[in-house]
Amino acid sequence: MTQSNLKNIALTVNGKEYTASVEPRMLLSDVLRDELGLTGTHVGCEHGICGACTVIMDGRPVRSCLVYGVQADQAKVQTVEGLADPDGGLHPLQEAFWEKHGLQCGFCTPGMLMSACHFLEQNPNPNREEIREGISGNLCRCTGYQNIVDAVELAAELLSKNKKCDDESSDLQVVQTGRKVNV
Amino acid sequence: MTIGTSVKRIEDPRLITGKGQYVGDIKLHDQCEAVIVRSPHAHANILRIDTEKAKQLPEVLMVMTGWDLPKDLSPIPMRLAPNEALTKALQFPLAKDKVRYVGEPVVLIVATSRYTAEDAADLIDVTYESLAPITDVHTAIQSDTSVLHPEIGSNDLFLIHSKKGSVNEELKKCPYVIEEDLYVQRHSGIPLETRGLLAVVQEDKRLTVYGPTKVVHFNHQILARLLKIDSQNIRFIETDVGGGFGPRGEFYPEDYLIPYAALRLGRPVKWVEDRLEHMVATNHSREQKHHVVVGFDESGRIHALRDEIFVDTGAYIRTHGITVPVLTQGMFPGPYDFHALEFITHVVATNKTPTGTYRGPGRFEGTFVRERIIDIIAKKLNLDPTVVRERNLIKPEQMPYTNGISALGQVVEYDSGDYPQILDIARNAMEWNQFAERKALAAAEGKIIGLGFAMFVEKSGLGPWEFCEVEILEKGDLTCKTGLADVGQGVKTALAQICSDQLGIPYSKVTVIHGDTDVVEKGNGSFATRGTVVGGSAAWYASEALKKKLLLVAAELLHLPAEELDIKNQLIIHITNQQCLCQLEDIITECRKRGIELREKYTFSIDHMSYPYGIHAAEVAIDSETGKIKIEKYYIAYDIGKAINPLLVHGQLVGGMAQGLGGALFEELRYDDNGQLITGSFMDYLIPSSMEMPEVEIEILENSPSPLNPLGVKGAGEGGTVAVAPAIANAIINALDKYPIEITSLPIRPEVIRDAIKKGPVTNEEE
């Protein structure tokens, strides 16, 4: 691909600003993984079904295999790498997945965590049926989901007790306000 | 004590923070990427391959056809259950003259990026002459059908015939004889991470391959043989792995092609399979047709059973050889005491993706057939199906029990078990005795409900051996090197618990190292529910030897006999009074002072497998309008001898059940008459989501520890999967006992149920 076909993009990922020169056809999942080195986001099907590549873009969960990198120009993206505190303190969802054995091979986990994170923002106090629906766009081949439902249930409890997540996850709060338009 | 406790996994902190390193996550300097052009035809001659345009594309580094591979290259050999007669049906890494399934590798392309490599793939022009595809086992073995492997001479590649007693004689004595045809559809493990490899030639000319798993050391030797280089010059490194389930980690064409390309190019070559490719390239499994003849008496006691089985093995014999057909026979009898048995299995070649194992290989298929037959017999005799089971079960006093059939080179001998007890436990848990009443009440409200059971025996702990090396480091940390592989099952945590128990240290102080052929000297890998049983036993004994070493020094220092000492909570204690005598760390320091090496190796060998057993039960409600099945309650009781970590066992069983549910109701690798896979994406190959999966109630039992290993463990990897289909099918038939339906084929489609309900209840006259 010649240089002239490359497009410059700038995006904020987990609160940090990045620029990249990418082909217009390059998927956001590939931009994140190959250009920015953020390999926590996994690619499981590349046709938008499995949900492993789910990231939060401008406040909404998206399948990063169905979004082109150029579409994420000026966007705010949050990936699994941005869930924990910079000092290493786990997000309540991460704590809960660990506690409840909500993962086995861990490949679907980043996408599952991002979907669950957005879901709990929309519905901080869900019942099990609602949790099942909330994560139904993410396939897991190992766990049979039961422990994931347990984990999201526990995370909801942890989050309601502990306002820390709301206070500090400024990324998530900011991206809720919507995508900035580049003038 | 950490054995038996549900501690959190040591694997998880990396994986939940995005710090896992799967093979696709590794990026090396100067790395390029490979793409494989695959056959779009099920059966065709290759007339011409034009690679010129692709080669001229900038940044394309290599375009290779089968003719570019070494002339003396051998095909990929069988790993398990090898058989000389089948070597003529093995697969070469790239097709030359002929393709035999959609997805067969034809051309390898390497370019600076995946995007460019795919552009080049579009420019490859292959001229095919299509041939009549064979998509069905019965067509395949007709005399006028073309033969896929002429050197074998028939598509009926191999016959396996096993007998116990005389079925013909017993059948003559039986007042009832029935025949049934049953079918288990093609489906497979479909891990969420597709396969991938990264091969690089290091400065010292050694080849390093990232991405092998499951049987790392075995595949290491295979690659050395195929490349004709000394295995000392190859290093395999296992990365994180996104699910195994049987298909992943076998030696595939790409496992040769990618290292070969790296050697030829002198640059790192990466290949990551895409999902659509995975569906046609990675092993399929399960597809079998069974024709059963069974004789029984009025009490439901089964006296004789003959099963003629047609296994659709696909276009080539892959690494599993005849593992699945052999296990189907050996494990078919399950928990029952049959007087006479006969199995005739045809291993048949067709123009479909080659096959291998998938979680519970042979047992998922055989358990479906057997447990359906039991319910069909019960219905015929108007008996309670759980009573028919009870009357045929092997009694505890018959243990150890040989079922008369061989599998994987050994006669199947169940080591221990109380099968009637586990049936009772399940009947009570599901309130079976009150169910008829509940069903009638539901019917009065217009609801159709049913309850079904399915029993099974699993196998685990396949030998011949496993290796472990433990070493105490500074500060009392322990490294445990194992020959097992980590495919997500929690093997690191289980081994850490075992070592921790022996050595009286926290399990979090144990680092488990696996899958690096430069670091772990040998291993047989993780498959066949062997990890905890065989690898765990090796870790147990290696740690025990290390403990003995420590206690000898402690005994000398403390002037006490070593046999009176133990290690608990990092303290040396006196066994009789449990009094703390000194710190473990002091003994470690003393050993270092004396130059005692705190390192032990152990190879645990075992000739016989262990046999965990259990029961599945499903209560279903059926939507009479749509035929949709709702699982109201699902229950599994599984006696695994001993659970090292009940939380992980629970996870294995629920996760296994999800895969069994997929096989029962949703998943099918379906081909059309042209040999095209028509369920080749996640749009139409339906993996259960959180909406389809019910809550599963699990009962882990430890009533029958295995006498064959020091831990008493029997393994837990596959029992969640194998009995789902018959439990659900039996529940549906129980629910629809007044309707004209029999379930003998998988997956169970709602339209079949709906049609039966629309036809209306069968009156007694019609029967």
Side-chain angles (χ1 to χ4, degrees):
Chain A
M1 191 57 45
T2 55
Q3 292 299 314
S4 61
N5 289 40
L6 298 176
K7 301 285 176 205
N8 293 325
I9 58 168
L11 65 167
T12 308
V13 185
N14 304 325
K16 192 175 162 189
E17 286 173 12
Y18 292 90
T19 56
S21 291
V22 300
E23 288 183 48
R25 62 178 177 169
M26 192 178 225
L27 303 173
L28 176 58
S29 51
D30 288 340
V31 172
L32 291 170
R33 292 174 51 78
D34 295 340
E35 300 296 317
L36 310 186
L38 295 168
T39 55
T41 298
H42 298 151
V43 179
C45 74
E46 285 183 305
H47 56 273
I49 303 294
C50 81
C53 66
T54 303
V55 298
I56 311 289
M57 184 165 122
D58 291 338
R60 290 189 345 208
V62 297
R63 317 246 187 220
S64 60
C65 78
L66 294 187
V67 176
Y68 290 115
V70 290
Q71 291 176 283
D73 186 25
Q74 303 302 320
K76 281 194 155 59
V77 175
Q78 185 158 12
T79 69
V80 68
E81 287 94 342
L83 270 185
D85 288 342
D87 61 12
L90 295 178
H91 185 281
L93 263 167
Q94 292 170 316
E95 288 280 4
F97 268 65
W98 191 12
E99 180 69 34
K100 294 290 180 184
H101 187 28
L103 63 149
Q104 289 180 28
C105 80
F107 194 77
C108 77
T109 310
M112 196 66 88
L113 287 168
M114 299 321 287
S115 288
C117 190
H118 180 263
F119 168 73
L120 286 180
E121 282 189 338
Q122 305 296 310
N123 184 355
N125 197 9
N127 63 33
R128 290 180 76 82
E129 220 23 60
E130 289 166 342
I131 294 172
R132 283 186 177 273
E133 202 177 333
I135 59 164
S136 62
N138 291 69
L139 294 177
C140 170
R141 193 57 164 164
C142 295
T143 64
Y145 306 100
Q146 198 157 313
N147 289 351
I148 295 177
V149 177
D150 288 351
V152 176
E153 217 173 17
L154 174 62
E157 202 183 305
L158 293 174
L159 281 162
S160 71
K161 277 191 205 155
N162 173 5
K163 291 288 166 197
K164 191 175 144 216
C165 178
D166 283 355
D167 302 341
E168 290 190 6
S169 64
S170 50
D171 263 333
L172 279 178
Q173 297 300 313
V174 172
V175 293
Q176 287 286 336
T177 59
R179 184 170 170 178
K180 272 195 242 164
V181 180
N182 196 21
V183 186
Chain B
M1 289 292 282
T2 43
I3 287 183
T5 57
S6 293
V7 297
K8 293 200 284 189
R9 301 201 321 168
I10 57 179
E11 290 88 342
D12 291 1
R14 292 169 50 252
L15 302 178
I16 51 181
T17 50
K19 295 193 184 97
Q21 198 173 46
Y22 301 84
V23 64
D25 301 340
I26 304 171
K27 195 171 185 179
L28 299 177
H29 174 69
D30 214 23
Q31 166 182 303
C32 39
E33 287 211 48
V35 157
I36 288 154
V37 178
R38 297 174 184 277
S39 169
H41 293 275
H43 194 193
N45 290 320
I46 299 174
L47 300 182
R48 188 169 154 271
I49 305 175
D50 185 349
T51 59
E52 277 318 303
K53 278 187 201 156
K55 280 178 179 164
Q56 282 160 21
L57 195 71
E59 298 179 17
V60 170
L61 304 168
M62 174 186 261
V63 179
M64 198 161 60
T65 72
W67 299 99
D68 301 319
L69 296 177
K71 300 281 172 286
D72 57 351
L73 177 63
S74 306
I76 297 163
M78 288 170 262
R79 176 175 71 84
L80 267 182
N83 193 288
E84 182 59 31
L86 291 168
T87 53
K88 303 299 180 199
L90 294 173
Q91 185 174 6
F92 284 87
L94 288 173
K96 274 186 182 170
D97 303 309
K98 197 178 246 195
V99 288
R100 294 179 176 85
Y101 65 95
V102 171
E104 181 163 358
V106 179
V107 181
L108 175 81
I109 297 170
V110 184
T112 51
S113 80
R114 173 67 178 259
Y115 285 78
T116 309
E118 291 199 17
D119 290 342
D122 287 344
L123 299 174
I124 299 286
D125 186 10
V126 186
T127 311
Y128 293 100
E129 175 192 38
S130 65
L131 302 166
I134 307 160
T135 57
D136 167 77
V137 286
H138 294 308
T139 314
I141 60 176
Q142 279 166 15
S143 58
D144 55 348
T145 303
S146 62
V147 174
L148 293 181
H149 299 285
E151 286 186 74
I152 292 184
S154 164
N155 292 326
D156 200 348
L157 296 177
F158 196 74
L159 193 76
I160 309 163
H161 192 177
S162 308
K163 279 166 93 166
K164 173 192 173 184
S166 171
V167 167
N168 283 344
E169 290 305 310
E170 289 287 338
L171 282 177
K172 279 183 211 157
K173 293 186 260 172
C174 289
Y176 298 92
V177 176
I178 56 171
E179 295 194 29
E180 284 290 344
D181 287 296
L182 296 103
Y183 173 69
V184 176
Q185 86 284 24
R186 186 172 270 254
H187 59 291
S188 194
I190 321 286
L192 209 58
E193 182 202 18
T194 57
R195 291 179 298 137
L197 288 166
L198 171 59
V200 54
V201 181
Q202 308 285 6
E203 280 169 13
D204 59 3
K205 302 287 177 215
R206 289 180 81 219
L207 175 70
T208 299
V209 184
Y210 297 91
T213 182
K214 184 178 178 180
V215 286
V216 176
H217 286 82
F218 187 89
N219 287 352
H220 179 241
Q221 296 299 319
I222 295 294
L223 181 64
R225 253 165 64 195
L226 292 179
L227 289 173
K228 295 188 167 58
I229 56 181
D230 189 337
S231 64
Q232 294 293 322
N233 292 323
I234 304 175
R235 179 180 188 181
F236 272 20
I237 300 177
E238 193 186 8
T239 59
D240 285 316
V241 169
F245 315 125
R248 183 203 292 283
E250 292 299 325
F251 201 103
Y252 286 91
E254 300 83 0
D255 290 79
Y256 170 82
L257 294 172
I258 303 306
Y260 181 69
L263 283 169
R264 286 264 305 261
L265 277 172
R267 280 177 73 164
V269 178
K270 182 194 263 186
W271 168 72
V272 175
E273 186 182 51
D274 78 25
R275 178 58 62 186
L276 304 183
E277 195 177 17
H278 177 90
M279 301 303 280
V280 293
T282 300
N283 283 350
H284 290 180
S285 195
R286 301 277 204 244
E287 189 174 10
Q288 298 187 351
K289 285 182 172 168
H290 290 242
H291 179 75
V292 179
V293 182
V294 59
F296 49 96
D297 64 26
E298 47 288 320
S299 75
R301 186 78 176 93
I302 299 166
H303 296 283
L305 184 145
R306 177 186 294 121
D307 189 2
E308 186 170 20
I309 306 162
F310 295 86
V311 176
D312 185 335
T313 204
Y316 296 95
I317 292 291
R318 278 189 175 166
T319 52
H320 288 110
I322 51 169
T323 303
V324 180
V326 161
L327 281 173
T328 307
Q329 291 196 354
M331 298 303 291
F332 186 95
Y336 308 110
D337 181 28
F338 296 110
H339 296 157
L341 287 165
E342 184 172 6
F343 300 102
I344 305 142
T345 300
H346 305 262
V347 180
V348 183
T350 61
N351 290 117
K352 300 184 196 170
T353 296
T355 55
T357 61
Y358 169 33
R359 201 174 201 170
R363 283 91 78 196
F364 181 90
E365 301 91 319
T367 302
F368 173 68
V369 172
R370 181 190 67 242
E371 295 299 309
R372 283 277 42 241
I373 291 289
I374 302 263
D375 269 43
I376 289 169
I377 291 171
K379 193 175 176 183
K380 174 105 184 159
L381 298 171
N382 201 22
L383 289 173
D384 173 347
T386 70
V387 170
V388 174
R389 286 190 168 79
E390 195 169 21
R391 287 175 181 164
N392 285 286
L393 286 175
I394 297 161
K395 309 282 179 289
E397 56 271 22
Q398 289 174 278
M399 291 288 171
Y401 176 92
T402 303
N403 76 10
I405 312 294
S406 292
L408 302 181
Q410 47 188 276
V411 175
V412 175
E413 186 182 272
Y414 302 150
D415 47 349
S416 58
D418 188 339
Y419 302 159
Q421 181 196 43
I422 210 162
L423 173 61
D424 270 338
I425 289 172
R427 281 193 289 213
N428 288 335
M430 297 300 286
E431 297 177 330
W432 172 241
N433 288 338
Q434 294 87 49
F435 186 72
E437 204 178 313
R438 215 143 57 76
K439 187 175 163 183
L441 282 173
E445 291 172 14
K447 281 172 70 181
I448 306 174
I449 63 169
L451 176 50
F453 295 85
M455 298 188 74
F456 67 98
V457 176
E458 255 300 317
K459 56 147 211 66
S460 68
L462 182 66
W465 52 262
E466 195 45 76
F467 170 74
C468 183
E469 178 180 340
V470 288
E471 183 175 7
I472 290 187
L473 308 176
E474 308 286 337
K475 294 182 190 169
D477 290 333
L478 185 88
T479 58
C480 165
K481 295 177 184 171
T482 176
L484 300 175
D486 176 3
V487 289
Q489 75 277 50
V491 64
K492 287 182 183 171
T493 300
L495 292 178
Q497 286 182 257
I498 290 166
C499 296
S500 125
D501 228 42
Q502 275 283 20
L503 289 161
I505 57 172
Y507 81 106
S508 54
K509 293 192 94 169
V510 183
T511 303
V512 178
I513 298 169
H514 60 91
D516 185 332
T517 54
D518 271 12
V519 177
V520 182
E521 68 179 54
K522 59 180 182 174
N524 275 312
S526 289
F527 59 98
T529 304
R530 68 186 302 279
T532 310
V533 182
V534 194
S537 297
W540 175 257
Y541 282 128
S543 304
E544 185 183 52
L546 196 53
K547 178 180 173 176
K548 273 188 186 155
K549 231 178 196 178
L550 289 162
L551 289 182
L552 276 177
V553 174
E556 207 188 310
L557 282 181
L558 297 163
H559 306 292
L560 283 167
E563 50 275 19
E564 287 181 20
L565 303 178
D566 199 358
I567 316 175
K568 263 188 193 168
N569 300 324
Q570 305 181 81
L571 302 168
I572 307 293
I573 60 150
H574 196 270
I575 290 175
T576 330
N577 59 19
Q578 296 288 301
Q579 207 172 28
C580 159
L581 300 171
C582 72
Q583 302 278 337
L584 172 62
E585 212 176 325
D586 299 338
I587 305 301
I588 295 169
T589 310
E590 182 62 24
C591 289
R592 292 206 185 287
K593 251 191 245 164
R594 297 183 183 192
I596 297 171
E597 193 182 40
L598 290 176
R599 188 155 65 103
E600 286 292 338
K601 296 179 185 181
Y602 196 91
T603 301
F604 178 75
S605 297
I606 190 162
D607 298 331
H608 278 277
M609 293 189 279
S610 291
Y611 295 90
Y613 59 95
I615 185 163
H616 285 218
E619 184 182 324
V620 302
I622 291 169
D623 184 320
S624 56
E625 281 301 311
T626 63
K628 189 182 173 188
I629 302 143
K630 182 162 188 280
I631 299 169
E632 299 280 3
K633 184 172 179 180
Y634 202 92
Y635 173 87
I636 301 173
Y638 197 18
D639 197 318
I640 57 163
K642 174 79 194 166
I644 301 297
N645 184 326
L647 184 65
L648 300 196
V649 171
H650 187 278
Q652 283 296 312
L653 292 176
V654 179
M657 189 276 171
Q659 291 191 311
L661 180 69
L665 300 180
F666 307 110
E667 297 177 35
E668 181 169 18
L669 291 160
R670 192 169 188 160
Y671 282 82
D672 68 11
D673 293 342
N674 295 318
Q676 294 291 335
L677 179 66
I678 55 172
T679 53
S681 80
F682 282 169
M683 308 277 269
D684 29 38
Y685 186 87
L686 304 175
I687 288 175
S689 81
S690 53
M691 300 302 281
E692 286 78 51
M693 252 310 271
E695 301 278 331
V696 180
E697 192 183 328
I698 303 283
E699 196 137 19
I700 302 166
L701 301 170
E702 298 182 328
N703 291 328
S704 300
S706 174
L708 304 177
N709 65 71
L711 300 163
V713 292
K714 290 182 169 178
E718 301 168 277
T721 305
V722 296
V724 182
I728 292 174
N730 290 343
I732 293 168
I733 295 300
N734 174 272
L736 300 177
D737 52 359
K738 296 192 171 58
Y739 294 88
I741 184 170
E742 198 50 88
I743 296 171
T744 52
S745 172
L746 295 176
I748 307 162
R749 300 275 186 210
E751 54 266 33
V752 176
I753 294 166
R754 183 178 176 274
D755 286 353
I757 295 171
K758 291 291 168 222
K759 281 180 193 155
V762 181
T763 59
N764 284 338
E765 289 76 30
E766 279 171 331
E767 274 186 332

